[in-house]
Structures are given as C-alpha cells and as structure tokens.
Amino acid sequence: MVMDPIFFYRNPASAVAEGTLQGLRVAIQPNLAVEGWPTEAGSRALLGYTAPEDATIVRRLRAHGAHLSGSTYMSELGFGLVNSRAGAALQSREADVELVLDFMGEGRLAAAGAGVYGFKPSYGLMSRYGLVGLTPSMECCGVLSADLGGIRAVLQAVAGGDGLDFSVPEEEAPDFAPQVIDPPMISVGVLAEARGGLNDGQNEAFALASAGLAEVGFAVREVSLPEWSLFEVVHRIVGSVEASSATGRYDSVRYGPRAPGAKNWNEMYLLSRGADFDTLLKSYLIQGAFFQFESCEAFQDACRLRARLVGEVQRLLSEVDFLALPTVLDGVASVAGASILLDATYTAFSSTLFANVTGQPVLYMPPGPATEMGAAAGAAGGACGLQLAGPRLSDGSLLALGEYLQSTGRGGE
Amino acid sequence: MEFEAVVGLEIHVELNCATKLFCDCPNRPGDEPNANTCPTCLWFPGAVPRLSRQALEKAALVCLALDAELQPRSAFDQKVYYYPDQPKGYQLSQAHLPLARGGNIKITGEDGESQRLRIHHVHMEEDVAKLVHEVEGRVPISLVDFNRAGAPLVEIVTQPDFRTPYQAMEFLKALRSQVRYVGASECNMEDGTMRCDANISIRPCGTMQMNTKVEVKNMNSVRHVGDAIAYEMGRQIAAVQTGEAVVLQTRLWDPDKKATLPMRAKFEAPCIPDPSIPAIELSSEWVERMRAGLPEMPAARAERLVQQYELTREEALLLSAEPETVDYFETLVAQGVAPRMGLHWMTTQLLPAVRERQQNLVTSPVTPMRLAALLRLLADDAINAKAAREVLTTLFTSHETPEAIVQAQGFSQISDRTAFDDIIDRVIDEQISAVANYRGGQERALGFLVGQVMQASRGKANPKVVRQRLLEKLDEAR
C-alpha cells in the first residue's frame, strides 16, 4: 500500500450542511475526535483508537458547512513537529485551512514552514472537548491559512463555550467582525529580549519589520521583559508535568498494543508504555514524572514563576496594545527531522512558547517576498517571521490588525 | 507506663447527587456493571471533566453542617498513582486548596461532659472504579466496574483529637446525623456511602509526642471503627512494651479475626494542580445563600423539642438523631397526637416493628398520617391499647385506613359505663377470693378482676371504664 504523503486519514464523505464555512476545506489532525475516524494522535499508544463522538470544534465546523478533508500526519501527541506534515495540505492546495495543535508554537512554526498565516488563539477561546491533548493549560488548536479571512471565519464558527469545557469562560466569545484600524491610535511594543537569539540577518529583518509597522503609522516603541528567558524553564517543567499526567491513561488496556510477557498489570503498564512511546516524548514524560514524584517543589516554583510571567506580560500590555516579536524559522527543518532531542526541540521553539505559557493569542505573519523582512532574511540566509501578540481574548482585534497589515503589504503576501 | 492513643479520622461520604462529579452519568453505583459510563468517566482520549454544580452545593452543605469555613477559592489536584481502579493514572481530589477548612463536632464524652472534636478540612474528590476479583476456571481475573468511577465524594479529615474508641464512634454517629439532616448523603457505613479510615498512634499519657502512625482501613460499621481502634491501640502498646518498633503502614481490619492485618507500606501519592478544571470561586453571597438554606440542625432541634413538647433531654436527643425519625414525630403531633403518646408509640411499637421488617420510616407503609389516625382512635377510647397494637400490625400489610380495619375486625370498644354491668356483677359473684383479697388491701387483685371482665367482654370493654365501674360496684357491695 502506498502511504499518503500528507493525510493520515482522508475523509471519503463530502460536507452536507450549509453555512458560513460552506465550500471551505479544513484539514485537521488525528488528535481531534471525529466520530468513526481513527484518532491516534500520532502515537502508537493510541493505535486502533476510534473516536466515539465528535469534538466540539469538529461539530461546529461541520454545522457551519465546512468540509473536513481529513487528518494529516502529526508528531506524537502534538509534541514538536517530528514526523508532522502540518501545513503541507495548504501548500499542496488540498485544504484551505488547517488546524494544528499548538503546544509550544507548532502551529506557528508549521505556518512559517508553509509560508502561510498561523493563528494561536487565546487559552479558553475554543472548547477542548474531544481534543486528545498533552498539556491542557498550554495547548490549543492553531489555525493556519494563506488567507486571514479563512482563519477569521473558522474562529467565528468554533469559538465560545459549549457547556462541555468549563475552561472556556462563560462570557460571550470575542467578536470576530471586521474592525476599523486607526494606526496612530494603536501602540505596538517591540520586545527587546525576544531578539536575543537572532543572527544578524534575522535581526536586520526583524528591525525592518518593526520599522515597517511604524511607517504605516502605528505607535511603535521598544518594551522590555527582563525575565524572558524564564519562559522556557517554566514551559519545560509545567508542560512536562502536565504531559506526564495526561498520558497516564495510555495503559494498553483498551487500545494500543499490549507488550507481551508481563507477569502482572503493573509490569504490563511499564512494558507497554515503554514500547509504545517514542524517545522524544518518553524523555519528556520521564522529566515530568521526575518533577511529580521527586521534585515537586521545583514544579511549584515553576507555577509561581508562570503566574509572575503572566503578570509581567499583562503589565506590558497595559502599556501598549500589542507586542511584536520575531519568529525564528531556521529551527523548522531540524524539528521536523526523524530524531530529535528534548533540548534541541526547546531551542527550536524558544521564540514561540511564551504564548503557551501566558495563554495569550498570537498571529504569525509570514515574511512575504514583497516585504523588507522577506528580502533581508533571504539575503542573510535565515528567515524570520513576525509574531503579533495581544492580551488574552483580544483575538478579534489581533486578526483585524493582521488584516490591516495584509492590506498594506506588510508582513504577508 | 500508661499510654494513650492519638487518633485522627478520614471519612469519605458519598454524596447522593443525581449525576457523577465530572460528567452527566447517573450516580447509581449499584446498577448493572458499567451501565453508567461515558467517554468522560471512562477517561477516553479527549475527555474533559465538568464539575457538577449539584455536587458542589451538596458538598458545601456538608461543610456548613460541620461548621467548616468554605474557602473563597478552592481547586482540584491530581493525586498521581497507577492502579486499575482509575484509568487515567490520577484521582481528582483537592489536596492543596480544599473546599473548606476547620469545623468541629460536639459529642458527649464517656464522663457526660460535652467535648468538641476538631475538623482539619473538608475536600471534594471523585470515587474510583470497583474491582471484582474472580477466578475463571483456574485463572484469577480482575473485573472493573466503572459505575462508581467519578461518583461524588467529600472527605472529612479530622485533627488528631481522639483518645478513645468511644470518641471516634460518637463522632461518626453525630457526623452521620448532621450530614443526613442536610440531605447530602445517606451516610451508611454498611453500604459504603460512608467510609472511615483511622490513623492511630500511641504515646505515654501526659506527653505531646506524635509517634509513628498506622492507617487502618476496611471498617464497615461504626462498631468496627471502635473495635479496630481498640485493637490497634493494644497491638501498638504491646509492641512498644516489648521493644518492637511501630511501622508506618496501612492495615486492614478483619472483622472475623477481630484484628488489624498488614496490607502495604503507607504510600503518599504526589498531588499536582489539575489544569483542566477551573478553580472554584465562592462569593460570600453564595455562601450566605447556602447557609440560609440549612435546615434546623440536630442540636437545635433537640433543644426545641424539649421546650415545645416537654420531652426530656435524652428523649429529645434520641428523636432528633435521625431527621426521618424526628420529622415523623412532629408530623404525628401536627396531626393531633399528644407528644408523649406519639413518642411512646414510636419508640416502643413502631420503630421495633419497622426494624424487624427491614424497612425504614420513609418507605414504611405505616405513614405518620395512618399512625396518627390510629392513635386518635386510641386517645378517643374508640379502641383499647391491645386492639391498637393489632391494628398497627395490620397496617404494615393492608392499605385500609385504621378506621376501616377497626370496623372490619370488630376492635371497637364500648365505653358506656353501664354496658357491662351484668358481666361485672357476675365476676364479683364468682371470684369470691379475688374480691376478698382486694378488700383485704391487695391492689393487684383489682387488676385480675378487670382482666376477667375484659375477657368476658371479648375485649370490647374499655378497661378504664371497667376499672372505674368495678371500684364503684365493690364499694356499693361493701
């Protein structure tokens, strides 16, 4: 049998409902439950698991008339981009929108790799009901498309509470209707510390992009977050602990291959879990179990640090309306490789993971060839996209900002 | 050297909510195995827990009933351990931010003095699945029933305030009474809706040492809790006196052997905040609204019974221990039954009969309305006490009214004072020696004569009227 180059599962059916998403082809990942579809989330531990019902996101996409193209290959439980084909269905024009799990920036870096827009919604914007996840407090479904209008339409359709996930606030979902942008009334803070890891070409490209924001009239100024480097520490500790807990249910009892030769159930768990998870995820889970069982104080410290970082970002966003940060793209190739170490994975996502710690929305703008960023990045041999971040649940305004920039030819094709 | 026990209790109370704690499955653990399950309580991939509002309300009522302080903010943690009775690798509980802190229960000690036993905190948690171990042919197998998985529990953790088995038993009885009053649970240790573990250590009397404790589980009645604590105290004292160390461990109470037996080393699972369930934030207005909804609690109700119905303190405490009992009593009184008569008939006739039939006051066919109708007939002298007892027995099996049963079985008594003069005259004539004994000052002989008249009237005479009339006749004839 020839393996499909992109799709883990292709939907043989076509859309039946009418609605705002009629005609829109949406590719998802096999970590989003669709009744009757194999939902293995890229892990041998879920081999043979078929979802018994639709995830809320899926139900809403279908209700609004979207056609689900299928589910694309993904990394194990969405961690990193190893073995992932996220973005490929957009590049091959087999889908108009892709939903890609964003746990440390996977959605945004996949968008960068495909040269499209990538939107990481606020924590609590969409129901997680039916999302086979790893880190409930950090991950969400990123929305990727070459067209910001497609992202807007999908967010409008799927956002808001469903009574099934209480982490979605009870207040009304953000309004995604187009908004008028008056640049002089909007301030953008360029985060100084986020430029720390850039090479010369990337630095130059990001400087040009920032200058471009000022040129179209936004009030741009530099802002500082001295504790920027702590985002990675917090993400590693909190994320690994949540992942360790979340994968406890994969015990090979109801699905997934059961390792032979166990003398009792305890051995069966250990052997099966040892055989089912890949090295990268396994090393992450072991790290999480260490903090759970052996160093809970470090985990508690990380939780306190996380609260402080959230507060710091809120402070910055009380001074400016949005933040602008670079996205380092040159890690994308390595993180999509077949084998990768934990440290290298974190290095590759160091420019994106902050938003998974804070839960704020981020729009990734690709460096279009017409923009200064694209040209400078190309000249320097590196690539650097722009991330725009807003306060939690400012998703609608952030999209409007992106659309305004798109209309001026800045930060996108 | 004299030793004393230092005991703390951990009591799990299963809330009688309609649904489980984190999903909409019916909270009926006794149904056909695995009938009440869904992707959430089976923890399929993609499951998201949703805290039940009713469970929160019932848990809050328990806290208020125990005088515990509801916290403005509480949250769920994951208690991480791997065992087949919970399929996600952790149990959802509140380890760091419990629903309520503090609280206490007052008991009357063995010396008759009032004692206040303190509660450390009250938290919510989910129950785990039930494991059934069987043998298939010669192969031992374990079956898992998920009906109970996710059932809503509150755990009441006490301070180590208990020094005697008696205190622990009285505490549990009072706790059961208070929780039943607020309608949050049946609190029945026999069917597992209340479970108690005891942490027991010993120390020389008069010291404040906290020594190695042993956790004892598997006590299925209040009596077992007392027995297990008494046994464990003795075992630890004997160990210390022979120079043996008390080992930190979990032991099981074996009611047949009347002993605690080692189960496993004590295991403390790590607890980390759960990232999926939002923190519970309670406004002071909400708490006050819940407090306003509390019923009159046992101690206050007993006090009122003393004042309102002139019962003794002991009678009032006995009646008010169970909400169903005292509700029944007050309904009887509201139906025109004299309080003392109602109390007498409930304690001497009704409650033993209900227990004998393995019923309870709520499900018994002898409703307070029916018993009240019967007791009114007795009070009006329409029947005598013997007939009333027979009618009561019939009420357990018949749907007829007491009046209809009295009519059908000919229990009506005749209270006309001269209706049985012929019989009385005959008895006086025939029972010469009894009459002589009475006149000789033997009061008991009068009772014998009344009995003879009652027998001759085939129970239809009113014994009070017969007695009065006999006295008149005996005086006349003197």
Side-chain angles (χ1 to χ4, degrees):
Chain A
M1 196 174 84
V2 180
M3 218 172 110
D4 190 299
I6 298 171
F7 284 91
F8 166 75
Y9 179 79
R10 279 185 189 267
N11 185 7
S14 52
V16 288
E18 294 179 359
T20 52
L21 302 182
Q22 197 163 16
L24 196 76
R25 297 166 303 159
V26 181
I28 62 168
Q29 291 181 307
N31 61 347
L32 210 47
V34 184
E35 188 180 344
W37 286 23
T39 308
E40 297 176 2
S43 179
R44 269 196 304 275
L46 281 92
L47 201 68
Y49 179 68
T50 301
E53 58 185 344
D54 286 352
T56 295
I57 291 176
V58 167
R59 190 166 44 77
R60 289 182 174 174
L61 284 172
R62 286 177 150 172
H64 284 85
H67 170 61
L68 298 184
S69 316
S71 55
T72 64
Y73 289 103
M74 66 182 292
S75 59
E76 185 162 34
L77 291 165
F79 181 51
L81 285 167
V82 178
N83 299 328
S84 171
R85 295 293 285 136
L90 296 175
Q91 283 181 307
S92 66
R93 302 197 186 278
E94 292 185 81
D96 306 306
V97 172
E98 276 194 52
L99 299 186
V100 175
L101 189 83
D102 195 310
F103 156 57
M104 55 200 306
E106 291 86 345
R108 284 161 282 162
L109 287 201
V116 298
Y117 295 95
F119 191 83
K120 180 221 164 279
S122 296
Y123 171 79
L125 185 83
M126 300 177 187
S127 170
R128 300 185 68 260
Y129 189 79
L131 175 68
V132 181
L134 197 59
T135 54
S137 80
M138 293 187 172
E139 71 204 355
C140 59
C141 268
V143 188
L144 280 59
S145 180
D147 170 26
L148 279 172
I151 294 178
R152 174 185 295 282
V154 165
L155 287 176
Q156 182 79 68
V158 303
D162 59 352
L164 298 172
D165 176 3
F166 290 175
S167 68
V168 181
E170 283 176 18
E171 62 256 35
E172 279 183 33
D175 186 4
F176 291 99
Q179 298 174 18
V180 175
I181 294 290
D182 184 10
M185 299 302 291
I186 293 173
S187 54
V188 179
V190 176
L191 193 59
E193 288 79 4
R195 299 167 67 162
L198 302 184
N199 63 29
D200 289 348
Q202 290 163 341
N203 216 347
E204 196 180 329
F206 182 63
L208 278 170
S210 308
L213 290 171
E215 273 171 34
V216 290
F218 291 105
V220 179
R221 66 185 175 92
E222 191 166 271
V223 293
S224 175
L225 183 60
E227 293 183 317
W228 169 257
S229 61
L230 292 179
F231 276 110
E232 186 179 324
V233 178
V234 168
H235 193 288
R236 279 184 83 134
I237 296 176
V238 176
S240 64
V241 166
E242 286 190 22
S244 175
S245 273
T247 52
R249 73 191 63 179
Y250 304 129
D251 51 18
S252 80
V253 173
R254 294 166 292 178
Y255 45 82
R258 198 178 293 192
K263 294 191 192 73
N264 54 49
W265 62 264
N266 212 8
E267 265 189 36
M268 183 189 79
Y269 282 6
L270 289 171
L271 291 173
S272 301
R273 288 162 62 83
D276 290 348
F277 292 125
D278 273 341
T279 310
L280 175 63
L281 183 62
K282 206 152 44 185
S283 56
Y284 197 49
L285 301 184
I286 288 168
Q287 180 186 294
F290 171 78
F291 288 115
Q292 278 179 329
F293 286 87
E294 300 294 335
S295 185
C296 209
E297 300 76 20
F299 169 70
Q300 285 163 353
D301 285 344
C303 290
R304 278 190 283 272
L305 264 182
R306 184 182 192 181
R308 199 162 87 199
L309 289 171
V310 169
E312 281 298 289
V313 171
Q314 278 171 352
R315 179 186 60 77
L316 286 183
L317 286 167
S318 67
E319 295 169 9
V320 293
D321 297 315
F322 298 99
L323 296 173
L325 308 90
T327 316
V328 181
L329 311 185
D330 53 9
V332 176
S334 63
V335 293
S339 71
I340 186 98
L341 297 173
L342 201 50
D343 286 349
T345 303
Y346 263 94
T347 302
F349 290 94
S350 60
S351 67
T352 51
L353 54 77
F354 72 97
N356 302 88
V357 172
T358 61
Q360 64 192 123
V362 181
L363 173 62
Y364 168 76
M365 307 278 289
T371 66
E372 298 88 340
M373 270 178 84
C384 182
L386 180 68
Q387 289 182 92
L388 294 167
R392 196 170 154 245
L393 299 178
S394 69
D395 303 60
S397 310
L398 190 57
L399 265 181
L401 177 68
E403 283 171 334
Y404 181 82
L405 288 170
Q406 186 184 29
S407 71
T408 62
R410 309 270 165 178
E413 286 173 303
Chain B
M1 188 187 291
E2 289 277 309
F3 288 91
E4 66 177 7
V6 180
V7 180
L9 303 179
E10 294 172 4
I11 302 127
H12 285 93
V13 169
E14 192 160 302
L15 301 173
N16 55 6
C17 301
T19 68
K20 294 186 181 182
L21 187 54
F22 295 115
C23 66
D24 295 331
C25 284
N27 178 31
R28 292 196 304 267
D31 284 3
E32 185 73 11
N34 294 310
N36 302 324
T37 58
C38 72
T40 299
C41 59
L42 292 172
W43 293 95
F44 279 153
V48 179
R50 306 184 300 283
L51 180 66
S52 149
R53 182 168 285 272
Q54 189 193 29
L56 175 62
E57 289 172 355
K58 292 217 173 201
L61 283 175
V62 171
C63 297
L64 292 171
L66 303 178
D67 224 5
E69 193 179 341
L70 285 166
Q71 301 295 293
R73 184 180 166 86
S74 63
F76 278 89
D77 295 286
Q78 302 172 345
K79 195 171 173 182
V80 182
Y81 68 94
Y82 294 89
Y83 203 69
D85 63 8
Q86 47 94 6
K88 61 186 179 302
Y90 55 84
Q91 181 189 18
L92 288 164
S93 181
Q94 295 183 305
H96 295 114
L97 298 171
L99 183 62
R101 294 182 194 273
N104 64 81
I105 283 182
K106 265 199 280 190
I107 63 161
T108 305
E110 284 160 291
D111 55 4
E113 295 294 312
S114 175
Q115 298 177 354
R116 189 183 292 270
L117 298 162
R118 294 169 303 156
I119 291 166
H120 184 268
H121 73 265
V122 183
H123 67 254
M124 302 176 76
E125 67 182 27
E126 60 174 343
D127 209 343
V128 296
K130 185 178 165 191
L131 294 178
V132 182
H133 304 290
E134 291 183 353
V135 178
E136 213 169 59
R138 292 168 64 185
V139 182
I141 57 163
S142 294
L143 303 170
V144 192
D145 177 4
F146 284 96
N147 281 351
R148 203 180 66 180
L153 301 175
V154 286
E155 182 173 343
I156 297 128
V157 180
T158 75
Q159 297 278 11
D161 281 357
F162 303 80
R163 300 289 168 269
T164 65
Y166 175 86
Q167 286 176 314
M169 292 194 292
E170 287 303 300
F171 180 91
L172 288 173
K173 286 184 209 162
L175 172 72
R176 180 172 63 194
S177 172
Q178 304 203 26
V179 174
R180 285 168 60 91
Y181 257 66
V182 296
S185 172
E186 283 63 50
C187 270
N188 193 339
M189 286 193 78
E190 285 75 14
D191 69 13
T193 49
M194 181 161 94
R195 285 166 257 164
C196 176
D197 302 337
N199 289 299
I200 305 161
S201 64
I202 55 158
R203 68 182 175 197
C205 286
T207 68
M208 296 302 285
Q209 289 173 20
M210 295 299 261
N211 292 321
T212 305
K213 66 184 180 184
V214 168
E215 183 187 41
V216 180
K217 291 175 174 289
N218 197 42
M219 290 88 84
N220 296 329
S221 70
V222 172
R223 162 59 54 190
H224 285 178
V225 174
D227 289 350
I229 293 173
Y231 174 85
E232 190 56 28
M233 284 168 67
R235 189 189 71 82
Q236 291 187 22
I237 290 169
V240 169
Q241 284 175 338
T242 55
E244 229 179 273
V246 173
V247 182
L248 180 69
Q249 60 179 324
T250 299
R251 296 174 73 90
L252 287 183
W253 172 246
D254 185 327
D256 298 327
K257 294 190 174 124
K258 292 201 178 299
T260 64
L261 303 172
M263 177 192 177
R264 56 170 155 81
K266 178 104 175 109
F267 169 70
E268 292 288 350
C271 290
I272 59 155
D274 182 84
S276 291
I277 307 164
I280 300 168
E281 295 192 346
L282 302 181
S283 67
S284 49
E285 293 77 27
W286 189 87
V287 172
E288 286 318 307
R289 215 165 44 243
M290 294 301 291
R291 199 189 302 280
L294 278 181
E296 187 182 28
M297 296 304 287
R301 197 157 183 185
E303 197 53 48
R304 182 170 61 76
L305 294 182
V306 170
Q307 303 295 328
Q308 194 171 339
Y309 305 118
E310 296 180 347
L311 303 183
T312 67
R313 188 152 183 78
E314 288 68 32
E315 288 167 343
L317 285 172
L318 181 75
L319 268 185
S320 58
E322 299 290 339
E324 296 83 7
T325 312
V326 69
D327 285 348
Y328 196 107
F329 169 76
E330 293 215 86
T331 310
L332 278 185
V333 176
Q335 290 296 311
V337 175
R340 194 141 289 285
M341 181 188 229
L343 174 72
H344 174 75
W345 274 78
M346 277 185 70
T347 51
T348 62
Q349 304 297 324
L350 178 71
L351 290 172
V354 165
R355 267 196 298 273
E356 187 184 309
R357 289 165 176 78
Q358 296 183 323
Q359 297 173 345
N360 62 55
L361 285 182
V362 177
T363 58
S364 164
V366 187
T367 62
M369 310 302 271
R370 298 179 88 205
L371 182 60
L374 174 62
L375 295 182
R376 279 196 304 265
L377 292 174
L378 179 64
D380 293 346
D381 285 336
I383 55 172
N384 60 39
K386 182 168 176 288
R389 282 194 291 274
E390 288 190 35
V391 175
L392 176 62
T393 304
T394 310
L395 285 176
F396 278 97
T397 53
S398 163
H399 295 296
E400 297 290 343
T401 62
E403 292 84 351
I405 296 167
V406 165
Q407 195 69 39
Q409 300 191 12
F411 284 134
S412 298
Q413 70 179 4
I414 297 162
S415 298
D416 182 338
R417 58 189 294 276
T418 58
F420 297 100
D421 276 2
D422 289 351
I423 295 177
I424 290 171
D425 290 342
R426 197 173 73 233
V427 166
I428 289 174
D429 287 346
E430 288 173 359
Q431 302 294 338
I432 298 162
S433 64
V435 169
N437 287 343
Y438 170 72
R439 286 183 174 149
Q442 289 185 29
E443 280 294 320
R444 276 167 54 197
L446 180 63
F448 172 77
L449 294 170
V450 172
Q452 292 297 307
V453 178
M454 290 300 294
Q455 197 174 10
S457 75
R458 282 185 284 177
K460 288 199 183 299
N462 179 338
K464 275 188 270 182
V465 175
V466 169
R467 185 187 170 86
Q468 187 57 43
R469 192 70 186 137
L470 253 174
L471 283 173
E472 288 169 15
K473 293 257 181 196
L474 288 169
D475 283 346
E476 271 171 26
R478 191 172 277 187

